[in-house]
Amino acid sequence: MLDLYGQKLSSRLLLGTALYPSPAVMAEAVKASGAEIVTVSLRRETCGGKAGGQFWSLVQSLGVRVLPNTAGCHSVEEAVTTARMAREVFGTNWIKLEVIGNHDTLQPDVFGLVDAARILVPEGFEVFPYTTDDLVVAGRLLDAGCRLLMPWCAPIGSARGPQNLDALRSLRGHFPGVPLIVDAGIGRPSHAAIVMELGYDAVLLNTAVAKAGDSVAMAAAFGKAVEAGHEAYGAGLLEPRDMAVPSTTLIGMAAFL
Amino acid sequence: MKLIVNGQGHEVAAETLAALLTELDFQGGWLATALNGEVVPARERGRCRLTEGDRIEILAPMKGG
């Protein structure tokens, strides 16, 4: 089973709750995916607390764990304050820590990310850092007290899929006991299967399901792909070969000439 | 007094954060508040006194990725 900060989980898919055609579709997609963790955020309340209350009631009715994010924060101070407010509202020490460094690529500011983690971990937060696939940064995050890593595989919402398999493989190789979750950039179930086949522990995605023609069907498809990739990794994959190798034996072939 | 609530100017009578929430009709245990960038837990809102020009953030759960 997947173990994230001591929580045992059957599903290896984490799902975002944004961008769906409707709240009802979001709820159905979460159920269809089998996800046991969904990401949520905090935003300014505009109608006396009612909009946030409705959304929160719906999420609570799903019976899943929530992983609040600090999405949109561009400074350490913003991210730390948002994390503290999220803990107050959602009643969890879990925080998906995002410190964005670039408006166009939504690339994490890895320096700010490490700084924010150093502040939050001693306060009892269990940090899920949204980071790049940089090996040295990953080490710094673990030094800061993060006990799992969430590297991107492509920019958020880009649907490009894994852009640097070598880097993802390297992270897996260097940190064998650390839960690794690919967060961001997954566009289709085959992308999810690819990173799971590398030995990643889980996948976090949102847009690929929310913006699919049929979010609920796509959520189910991602659930299967993640499971298939994980099982394949455990089963031991055949490495590619340069030459053809017949699968049917040549011994005992008939001689017609 | 004049306060900045969620980025908008407000003229209010409330002198504490708890009273401000009531005056602006914010209800619900799911709200998070901050005063001038510092988190104010729900249990401390009654004791949290406001002064002219304070910046208050009132946040609520929202969908996110």
Side-chain angles (χ1 to χ4, degrees), chain A residues 16-19 39-45 48-50 52-53 55-56 69 81 84-85 88-90 96 98 204 206, chain B residues 6-7 24-27 29-34 37-43 45 57-65:
Chain A
T17 54
L19 302 173
T39 53
V40 293
S41 71
L42 276 182
R43 286 290 180 265
R44 283 174 169 171
E45 183 53 85
K50 292 162 199 75
F55 170 73
W56 185 219
N69 69 27
T81 303
R84 290 171 180 155
M85 294 177 88
E88 162 96 353
V89 168
F90 296 110
K96 174 181 162 178
E98 296 185 37
L204 196 170
N206 186 344
Chain B
N6 284 352
L24 297 182
D25 197 26
F26 279 99
Q27 299 165 9
W30 49 81
L31 296 173
T33 48
E38 295 291 329
V39 182
V40 182
R43 63 183 178 281
R45 286 177 197 151
E57 292 288 334
I58 304 169
L59 307 186
M62 211 58 66
K63 47 204 176 179

Side-chain angles (χ1 to χ4, degrees), chain A residues 138-190:
Chain A
R140 293 282 193 276
L141 288 166
L142 296 174
D143 291 345
C146 298
R147 280 155 47 207
L148 57 80
L149 298 166
M150 298 212 298
W152 69 354
C153 77
I156 294 174
S158 70
R160 285 187 216 156
Q163 297 295 290
N164 189 345
L165 286 175
D166 288 334
L168 293 178
R169 218 178 259 126
S170 175
L171 279 180
R172 181 67 289 170
H174 277 84
F175 305 112
V178 177
L180 296 180
I181 303 169
V182 164
D183 175 13
I186 298 278
R188 48 186 65 199
S190 54

